[in-house]
Amino acid sequence: LQGLQRRLNDFQSRNTDVVAVVVDPVERNAEVADELVLGYRILADPELKVIDAYGLRHEREGDTPIARPATFLIDAQGVVRWRELTDNYR
């Protein structure tokens, strides 16, 4: 999240919106955004609908699932033009 914030001006200069999607509830997202002074939105997906639609669910043994870290560039027509995925959720 902080890495995206550091590059936010670069994205904005290219008329690009930055949005994070996480499993945490809205209240926690607001706390994180305030703590990190983020200039973009964090969307809550506690039911993992968007996360599952993009194949990003990371199951953790004995714990609740989370999203794999991933970055997508999606054009104005909704076409995924680029993606970066990782298996390391840390």
Side-chain angles (χ1 to χ4, degrees), residues 13-65:
S13 71
R14 291 172 174 84
N15 197 30
T16 303
D17 292 327
V18 173
V19 179
V21 179
V22 299
V23 299
D24 299 319
V26 172
E27 298 80 18
R28 178 64 185 136
N29 294 344
E31 291 171 6
V32 169
D34 287 344
E35 290 169 13
L36 300 178
V37 192
L38 298 179
Y40 60 90
R41 294 172 286 162
I42 303 176
L43 305 180
D45 187 21
E47 295 177 9
L48 293 103
K49 290 181 181 180
V50 173
I51 291 163
D52 285 344
Y54 284 87
L56 300 174
R57 184 184 291 230
H58 179 82
E59 298 285 351
R60 300 182 299 171
E61 192 171 323
D63 208 348
T64 56

